[in-house]
Amino acid sequence: MFLDRLLLILPIRVVFPVFISVVLVIVGVLSAYVEIKESTKKLKQEKLKELCSTAASFQEIAEYLGEKGNTEFIERTLINISTDPYIDIIFVSSPDGKIILSSRRKYIGKEYSTALKEAVPSSYRYIFSVIDNFHKKTALFCKILQKENKIVALSPILFSYGEKDLRPSEIGFLFISYRLDELISMYRTEIIKKILYQFGVLFVVFVFVYVGFNKMIGERVNAIIKGVERISKGELDVKIDLRGRDEFAFIAYVINQLVDRLNRYIKYDYLTGVLNRFGLEREVKRLLSENKDLWNVFIFIDIDNFKEINDTFGHDVGDLFLKKFAKKLTLVASGKTIGRLGGDEFIVFFQSQNRPEVEKMMENWMNELSGNIQIDEQIIHITLTAGVSIKKGKADFYDFLKESDIALYYGKKKGKKMFVIFDEELRVKEEKRIRLTEILKKSLDKGDFYLVYQPIVSLKTGKVESVEALLRMKNDDLGEVSPAEFIPILEETGLIREVGYWVISEVCRQINIWKDRGVSDISVSLNVDIQQLLDKEFVRNIKATMDNHGISPDRIKIEITESEAMKFPDIIVDVLKRLTGIGIEIAIDDFGTGYSSLSYLKLMPLSYIKIDRTFIKNIPSDKDDNILVLSIVNLAKSLGLKTVAEGVEEKVQLLFLNEIGCDYIQGYYFSKPVLPEEIENIIKTGKTVQA
């Protein structure tokens, strides 16, 4: 744990030798401690044995020569023994307690107690008891006195006075005090010197080994460190080139393998195997930097209605579909850089010496890539929309992405199934769209929106029975803006919900104005966006708005397009039922242009079907349209619904619609969308249409 923390501060090249040095010091200290302890113990035992032997020998000599009266040899022997520098004191006491021989002359003739108190001040009482015990047991006494740090040897000596004496013999004793402190200190110093020498040699050897080893592996370590540093900076093409069977070569091999896998995961799409956004960006940037004088073609491909594939067949089928499409795209765009941005968005990039014929190439690609793709037993038909950006010379990846995305956006707006090449005209158009988007965010507060109303005329009475409210916009900077321009932006930005509620409130306000001016039996149709219908509070809000203005629900009709209704049919049916529950009638707008299911059409609580103008404009000259319109009218009648024909502009259209039993018409033949005041005039003047 400590080493881990230390490595956070210092590199291993510093930590390792310091760690080894510390270990050596600790081992050396412990070794010295153990050796000193054991050696001291052994030394004490040896000296104890030696001193005991000396005392025993002296006892024998003293008793033997004492009988012969040869005290000179005894004294000389004592002097020889005292030459040992660690002998503290040695003396012989007579039986009467007087010191008769001593290594220190000052004690001769004195009481032995005086010498003992100086020699062993902490243990002299204990020694006295031993001496007193000699009269009971004349045995040699040798012991290490820990308090004194000395060895004491006591040997009883028999003093003989002849056979005629009443006390033929008395007991004296030999006392030897041996100093251990100086001896042990000297011995300890020698041991420490020896250990320091041993570990000094070991440390020097370690230093030489470490320096040599470090020099030997330094290049390999540095190669790994430099490679890892470059990898950490995002250079995933780095290879650490170390050969051999050592651990460093193995580490380098593992790092290279990991980088290869990481490179794969980071640069390539896990699902399709083509480059992902990161890898695509790096590759395009590399090609742009290496080939600055070539033509660059950047193609943004989007699969039309891919969400419906996932919703219909499931995401597992959607994933298989993307794999097959990517494989097909790789074959069609062979030799070119291919990547997947995400979802169903793919990029193709390539460079050319001469300006490529992109139009012809894209036409071929669209034909080859569109069509049927089989997933297991499912056959899925696909179409594509593509945006193309072409530049020569210096260029930037994000400029390509932005321009091709803009071209793709307008391709989708035109109806999909096509490719659009970005040009200056498109740039201007996009800049205008962006500017309009910014203006629209403030337009509601500034009062740029207003409503016009187009009459809906009954073919039975020829009179206006209802009007459709249509949203318009006029800005101080842009002037009159077409709904075809601002409505899609409102939908994209989500502002359509806020503007939609404003339209409802404005219609209710206008109905009250007309009522005050004598037009009291008019109803108004409102176009409602899918985003509004998906709002959980929509029904409650529209009811609250009508209640606040005191408007009866039968004065409001809600129109929803067929294609919008089919996006979330179950939810929409529920919302429409709640609307009819409060008294609002529902109309399906642009009927015939979508792909509505008759089962859902039956479930929807409808009152009106509005026939799209695309079917009206060619009647009665187009037999197919005649049959289609007649079928819609008959279908509506069979379901108990009324029909409204949009876009009626000619008398012959009116006559045909009246003949087949259409209920209402709406179009320029009667009136274009007009301001509220003009609606009043139309109704008050009693303008009618005659079939």
Side-chain angles (χ1 to χ4, degrees):
M1 196 69 179
F2 173 74
L3 286 178
D4 291 340
R5 294 180 179 177
L6 194 60
L7 288 172
L8 295 175
I9 304 172
L10 300 171
I12 194 170
R13 292 183 179 181
V14 174
V15 173
F16 178 70
V18 170
F19 175 74
I20 295 299
S21 300
V22 170
V23 170
L24 287 175
V25 169
I26 293 173
V27 171
V29 170
L30 290 175
S31 298
Y33 172 78
V34 171
E35 185 167 349
I36 288 172
K37 186 176 180 180
E38 293 298 322
S39 298
T40 301
K41 182 179 179 181
K42 183 178 180 181
L43 177 66
K44 286 180 179 180
Q45 295 298 325
E46 288 178 353
K47 288 300 178 182
L48 179 64
K49 184 177 180 181
E50 181 182 329
L51 199 62
C52 287
S53 177
T54 300
S57 298
F58 186 84
Q59 179 190 25
E60 292 178 359
I61 294 172
E63 289 184 350
Y64 175 74
L65 295 177
E67 292 179 359
K68 299 182 180 294
N70 190 357
T71 58
E72 181 181 351
F73 185 79
I74 296 173
E75 185 176 359
R76 195 162 47 246
T77 302
L78 186 143
I79 292 173
N80 288 336
I81 295 172
S82 64
T83 57
D84 188 330
Y86 299 106
I87 292 292
D88 179 34
I89 183 173
I90 181 172
F91 66 81
V92 176
S93 173
S94 64
D96 59 0
K98 301 289 184 179
I99 296 175
I100 57 176
L101 294 173
S102 175
S103 61
R104 298 184 186 180
R105 291 185 177 275
K106 67 177 183 176
Y107 291 124
I108 295 176
K110 294 184 178 181
E111 295 289 337
Y112 72 82
S113 59
T114 302
L116 288 179
K117 287 178 181 179
E118 288 187 10
V120 286
S122 299
S123 307
Y124 72 90
R125 293 182 185 277
Y126 173 65
I127 300 301
F128 285 168
S129 65
V130 173
I131 294 171
D132 291 341
N133 197 43
F134 282 161
H135 293 282
K136 299 177 182 179
K137 184 180 180 181
T138 57
L140 182 68
F141 172 83
C142 285
K143 189 171 184 179
I144 299 172
L145 301 178
Q146 299 294 346
K147 292 182 180 179
E148 314 290 350
N149 201 16
K150 294 179 180 179
I151 300 174
V152 170
L154 285 170
S155 175
I157 299 176
L158 185 65
F159 283 83
S160 178
Y161 298 101
E163 294 179 359
K164 296 178 180 182
D165 199 294
L166 293 175
R167 294 185 300 170
S169 62
E170 293 288 347
I171 299 175
F173 65 89
L174 168 71
F175 175 83
I176 303 175
S177 173
Y178 193 89
R179 298 191 308 274
L180 290 173
D181 49 359
E182 292 181 13
L183 178 64
I184 291 173
S185 177
M186 183 192 72
Y187 198 71
R188 184 184 295 128
T189 301
E190 292 299 322
I191 291 173
I192 291 173
K193 286 181 180 179
K194 182 182 74 171
I195 290 176
L196 285 175
Y197 173 77
Q198 292 174 345
F199 277 88
V201 172
L202 184 62
F203 183 76
V204 171
V205 171
F206 164 72
V207 170
F208 277 106
V209 170
Y210 175 75
V211 171
F213 189 68
N214 189 45
K215 186 176 181 181
M216 179 177 67
I217 67 173
E219 292 182 1
R220 302 175 81 76
V221 174
N222 287 334
I224 293 174
I225 291 173
K226 289 178 180 178
V228 171
E229 284 179 349
R230 291 177 62 190
I231 292 168
S232 67
K233 294 177 181 177
E235 299 181 38
L236 299 180
D237 297 325
V238 174
K239 291 290 183 184
I240 303 175
D241 187 16
L242 286 183
R243 298 181 181 180
R245 296 180 177 271
D246 62 301
E247 289 81 358
F248 295 102
F250 179 73
I251 292 171
Y253 169 78
V254 171
I255 292 173
N256 289 337
Q257 291 294 311
L258 289 174
V259 170
D260 286 341
R261 295 187 67 181
L262 183 63
N263 206 21
R264 184 78 184 169
Y265 285 126
I266 290 179
K267 290 176 64 176
Y268 292 91
D269 179 51
Y270 75 97
L271 181 64
T272 61
V274 300
L275 292 170
N276 60 19
R277 177 163 183 155
F278 175 78
L280 179 69
E281 181 179 341
R282 287 173 61 90
E283 183 63 14
V284 171
K285 284 182 176 180
R286 183 187 68 80
L287 292 172
L288 290 174
S289 63
E290 292 178 359
N291 308 299
K292 297 181 179 180
D293 297 324
L294 300 179
W295 283 93
N296 304 292
V297 181
F298 194 97
I299 305 168
F300 195 146
I301 298 173
D302 181 84
I303 301 171
D304 297 331
N305 303 317
F306 177 71
K307 183 179 181 299
E308 294 181 5
I309 296 175
N310 276 335
D311 293 343
T312 304
F313 302 105
H315 288 274
D316 53 342
V317 173
D319 288 346
L320 290 173
F321 170 82
L322 289 174
K323 288 182 180 180
K324 287 203 171 186
F325 177 79
K327 187 175 181 180
K328 192 173 183 180
L329 179 61
T330 303
L331 293 174
V332 171
S334 178
K336 298 172 176 59
T337 301
I338 301 170
R340 179 188 176 211
L341 287 184
D344 60 333
E345 297 176 338
F346 291 84
I347 299 294
V348 177
F349 176 81
F350 66 94
Q351 295 177 307
S352 176
Q353 190 71 38
N354 302 314
R355 182 182 175 92
E357 296 182 5
V358 176
E359 293 83 355
K360 185 176 181 181
M361 180 194 75
M362 287 304 299
E363 288 177 0
N364 293 333
W365 282 19
M366 298 296 279
N367 291 330
E368 291 183 48
L369 293 171
S370 299
N372 295 330
I373 291 182
Q374 184 169 351
I375 307 294
D376 296 330
E377 297 179 357
Q378 303 290 343
I379 296 178
I380 302 173
H381 182 79
I382 64 163
T383 59
L384 312 172
T385 303
V388 184
S389 176
I390 307 173
K391 290 178 182 292
K392 183 179 181 181
K394 187 177 180 181
D396 181 76
F397 174 83
Y398 290 102
D399 289 339
F400 278 122
L401 186 61
K402 180 181 178 181
E403 291 179 359
S404 60
D405 190 29
I406 291 170
L408 176 67
Y409 170 83
Y410 284 100
K412 293 284 188 183
K413 285 296 179 183
K414 288 181 179 180
K416 306 178 182 179
K417 304 179 186 179
M418 63 178 64
F419 66 90
V420 175
I421 299 175
F422 185 85
D423 55 19
E424 286 303 312
E425 182 181 347
L426 210 58
R427 186 190 301 277
V428 172
K429 192 174 181 180
E430 177 63 10
E431 289 174 355
K432 183 179 179 181
R433 188 181 75 89
I434 293 173
R435 184 184 176 197
L436 179 57
T437 301
E438 294 302 315
I439 290 173
L440 283 172
K441 293 177 182 178
K442 305 174 184 177
S443 289
L444 194 58
D445 294 333
K446 290 178 64 178
D448 289 344
F449 294 111
Y450 66 97
L451 296 179
V452 294
Y453 300 86
Q454 188 172 32
I456 299 174
V457 182
S458 171
L459 285 178
K460 289 182 180 180
T461 64
K463 295 181 179 181
V464 177
E465 293 192 6
S466 180
V467 295
E468 180 180 359
L470 300 168
L471 185 63
R472 296 291 184 265
M473 175 184 174
K474 188 175 183 179
N475 179 264
D476 293 338
D477 297 328
L478 301 177
E480 197 76 33
V481 182
S482 168
E485 293 184 69
F486 71 79
I487 292 293
I489 297 175
L490 290 177
E491 293 173 342
E492 290 171 11
T493 57
L495 292 171
I496 192 68
R497 293 171 60 185
E498 186 179 356
V499 174
Y501 284 126
W502 175 85
V503 169
I504 295 169
S505 179
E506 183 66 15
V507 164
C508 291
R509 187 185 69 84
Q510 186 60 52
I511 290 173
N512 281 331
I513 292 174
W514 283 331
K515 182 179 180 181
D516 293 340
R517 293 180 179 178
V519 181
S520 59
D521 57 350
I522 198 79
S523 63
V524 181
S525 296
L526 304 173
N527 290 287
V528 177
D529 187 80
I530 186 69
Q531 294 185 42
Q532 292 175 268
L533 291 174
L534 294 177
D535 182 1
K536 294 180 180 179
E537 301 298 320
F538 176 69
V539 178
R540 188 183 67 82
N541 289 341
I542 194 171
K543 185 178 186 303
T545 302
M546 290 189 298
D547 291 343
N548 290 338
H549 288 84
I551 301 299
S552 174
D554 61 0
R555 289 286 180 258
I556 299 293
K557 294 181 176 64
I558 296 295
E559 293 186 10
I560 178 173
T561 62
E562 181 186 10
S563 57
E564 293 283 279
M566 287 302 103
K567 288 182 178 178
F568 304 95
D570 294 329
I571 297 175
I572 299 304
V573 168
D574 179 64
V575 175
L576 296 183
K577 285 181 178 179
R578 290 163 59 199
L579 287 171
T580 56
I582 61 175
I584 296 176
E585 292 186 317
I586 309 298
I588 280 287
D589 197 9
D590 300 337
F591 188 80
T593 60
Y595 301 94
S596 60
S597 168
L598 291 178
S599 61
Y600 278 111
L601 189 63
K602 181 181 177 181
L603 291 174
M604 288 182 183
L606 303 177
S607 298
Y608 299 88
I609 289 179
K610 299 189 76 172
I611 307 171
D612 191 69
R613 66 184 70 248
T614 56
F615 305 119
I616 301 300
K617 67 179 180 179
N618 293 323
I619 61 171
S621 58
D622 190 306
K623 292 182 179 181
D624 292 336
D625 283 345
N626 292 346
I627 295 171
L628 185 58
V629 173
L630 176 60
S631 299
I632 294 173
V633 171
N634 290 334
L635 174 64
K637 286 180 179 180
S638 65
L639 294 173
L641 308 177
K642 295 179 181 180
T643 51
V644 181
E646 298 182 296
V648 178
E649 298 181 359
E650 298 176 6
K651 179 74 171 179
V652 291
Q653 295 171 339
L654 175 67
L655 293 172
F656 178 81
L657 292 167
N658 184 61
E659 182 181 345
I660 65 173
C662 184
D663 298 297
Y664 300 94
I665 66 161
Q666 179 181 350
Y668 278 30
Y669 179 74
F670 183 82
S671 172
K672 65 180 182 180
V674 295
L675 295 173
E677 296 79 8
E678 296 183 58
I679 291 293
E680 290 181 42
N681 293 332
I682 291 173
I683 294 174
K684 287 180 178 180
T685 57
K687 181 180 177 182
T688 60
V689 63
Q690 299 296 324

